[in-house]
Amino acid sequence: MIGVFDSGLGGLTVLRAFLKHLPQYGYLYLGDNARAPYGNKSLEVIYEYTRQAVEFLFDRGCILIILACNTASAKALRKIQQEWLPSHHPDRRVLGVVIPVAEVGVQVTRYGRIGVIGTRATIETKVYQQELDKLRGDLKVYGLACPLLVPLVEEGWAGKPETNRILKKYLRHLKDRKVDTLILGCTHYPFLQKDIKRIMGKNCKVLDGPEIVADKLEDYLHRHPEIEGRVTRNGKVSYCTTDDPERFKRFGEKFLGQTLAHVEKVKFD
């Protein structure tokens, strides 16, 4: 299986793209809803929560895990890849969502003015700025923390007038700096993508992160047959959450447009 992990519901945007482009594989989605959001937590806590999730998904049979969470990708991925994985599961892989989106951002920017919105933790790490600078040194990168957006999405407030007013207030900062490309540095934000595009206007390209990550995953699997050959090909999807499975089920069905037969509640020690 391919594991998809997020601190909450935002990773469903990535899973939806996987199911669209790579429906042949088996997937296990894990949302740590009981401890979301991760964006206001310390580096040590985020790493430990992410490590627990990765261990859980590996124990359930996942060969490859996508951290469909920008905060986990920014604050935990490198340590997991470099320190934990080699000594615990050297034959398996954990990938993130930051580098694929940064690569496309560099490709599409017209004037080298890129905005990044994300959780406070993601913006404070400057992980997108660092990856963008590695790819092209002359960019102007403007990071903006938007801590209210994840709770609003999790509560089902996407599209409501109150949420749009908050979006306008956040995004005014980036519009004033005339960014031509906007990276949604949180997998919850695609739930708000239509309104973000409208607010930013036609002169700003708002990147579709989940589509980008799906394309990059397909490319990765083609380049790594030793991993791809071990991934289950049964087209089945399973869901786990650390919080209320009925709430997860309602949200997931509304967003994915399909019935979720069963959502399992799990607990980490």
Side-chain angles (χ1 to χ4, degrees), residues 9-250:
L9 298 163
L12 291 173
T13 60
V14 175
L15 178 64
R16 182 172 67 174
F18 289 171
L19 296 177
K20 175 183 174 183
H21 294 283
L22 300 163
Q24 67 271 34
Y25 299 111
Y27 296 92
L28 174 56
Y29 183 95
L30 171 62
D32 191 9
N33 303 78
R35 302 190 292 196
Y38 279 15
N40 57 2
K41 293 178 170 58
S42 69
L43 175 65
E44 292 77 13
V45 168
I46 293 167
Y47 170 76
E48 182 57 23
Y49 286 2
T50 305
R51 186 200 61 77
Q52 289 174 357
V54 167
E55 196 160 32
F56 171 84
L57 290 168
F58 280 152
D59 287 345
R60 288 291 181 97
C62 293
I63 302 299
L64 171 66
I65 296 171
I66 309 299
L67 299 186
C69 172
N70 283 266
T71 301
S73 294
K75 288 205 162 189
L77 176 61
R78 182 167 297 177
K79 186 174 180 180
I80 285 173
Q81 288 176 330
Q82 296 179 355
E83 299 180 20
W84 186 80
L85 202 57
S87 60
H88 291 80
H89 296 279
D91 61 334
R92 304 189 189 191
R93 297 292 179 267
V94 182
L95 304 176
V97 295
V98 172
I99 293 176
V101 177
E103 290 173 343
V104 173
V106 169
Q107 292 168 6
V108 304
T109 183
R110 290 170 295 162
Y111 306 114
R113 304 179 70 84
I114 299 178
V116 183
I117 57 174
T119 66
R120 189 172 284 113
T122 296
I123 298 303
E124 285 176 354
T125 64
K126 296 186 177 180
V127 63
Y128 273 101
Q129 184 167 344
Q130 292 165 7
E131 295 300 333
L132 289 163
D133 286 345
K134 288 178 189 176
L135 297 165
R136 180 175 157 183
D138 64 339
L139 297 171
K140 295 288 186 182
V141 182
Y142 303 94
L144 179 67
C146 303
L148 294 176
L149 297 185
V150 169
L152 288 167
V153 169
E154 295 265 329
E155 292 300 320
W157 279 51
K160 292 194 175 184
E162 296 87 350
T163 302
N164 283 327
R165 282 198 292 270
I166 291 169
L167 271 176
K168 285 179 182 178
K169 188 166 184 179
Y170 278 144
L171 296 174
R172 187 181 302 128
H173 173 82
L174 298 177
K175 291 189 73 173
D176 289 346
R177 280 150 183 79
K178 294 181 170 57
V179 301
D180 65 78
T181 304
L182 180 61
I183 290 174
L184 306 185
C186 175
T187 49
H188 284 72
Y189 295 176
F191 289 110
L192 307 166
Q193 185 153 342
K194 183 171 71 172
D195 292 318
I196 291 172
K197 282 184 176 180
R198 175 177 50 77
I199 294 167
M200 291 303 297
K202 62 183 180 181
N203 292 324
C204 180
K205 174 72 173 177
V206 179
L207 299 187
D208 191 332
E211 289 286 317
I212 292 168
V213 173
D215 288 342
K216 295 291 186 177
L217 175 60
E218 186 172 17
D219 177 66
Y220 178 88
L221 291 170
H222 285 158
R223 290 185 293 106
H224 294 275
E226 77 282 4
I227 298 294
E228 195 276 341
R230 297 166 58 206
V231 176
T232 306
R233 285 173 164 265
N234 59 9
K236 293 183 179 179
V237 188
S238 300
Y239 301 89
C240 294
T241 176
T242 56
D243 201 1
D244 180 6
E246 286 302 316
R247 179 175 177 273
F248 183 101
K249 189 172 183 291
R250 287 194 301 272

